[in-house]
Amino acid sequence: MAAIDAPATPLELFLITTLFDGGHIAPAVEELRAAGLGDKVDSWISTGENQPLTADELAKALGDSIARIAAIQGLSTDEVAQKAAAALPVTFDALSPEGQVVTE
């Protein structure tokens, strides 16, 4: 499992809770799979290597959410997509110990 620095920055926490309603990642897993990112998501929740996610892939999958966060934070959509694309693989990996999605 990849290590993550704690605590996350306020922007990282905001991205995660805004994109995926906080709590656990199961809804996010399904949303990203439905958006065509299943292979990448599966790599993050498995015990193997994490496939990288690009800002463009994330923006295509979650464009409205990315735009909403950017507007709220006063950032560009590119900046939000880049930060989220960097944070999500590590976060999913950390929240799926032993390759199992935590649902509570």
Side-chain angles (χ1 to χ4, degrees):
M1 179 182 317
I4 61 172
D5 294 329
T9 67
L11 178 58
E12 289 169 336
L13 291 172
F14 184 79
L15 289 170
I16 293 163
T17 58
T18 301
L19 286 172
F20 304 116
D21 300 322
H24 55 84
I25 62 170
V29 168
E30 295 310 313
E31 185 174 348
L32 291 170
R33 281 182 178 150
L37 298 174
D39 289 344
K40 291 183 185 274
V41 171
D42 290 344
S43 79
W44 308 337
I45 60 176
S46 73
T47 57
E49 290 292 316
N50 292 336
Q51 291 183 20
L53 176 66
T54 68
D56 287 341
E57 290 170 323
L58 187 60
K60 286 178 185 171
L62 303 173
D64 291 342
S65 293
I66 298 295
R68 186 177 74 237
I69 293 167
I72 291 169
Q73 290 291 307
L75 301 170
S76 72
T77 55
D78 289 340
E79 185 175 3
V80 171
Q82 288 172 355
K83 289 181 182 286
L88 288 175
V90 175
T91 302
F92 275 46
D93 191 35
L95 295 176
S96 57
E98 307 295 323
Q100 300 295 315
V101 175
V102 176
T103 59
E104 296 178 11

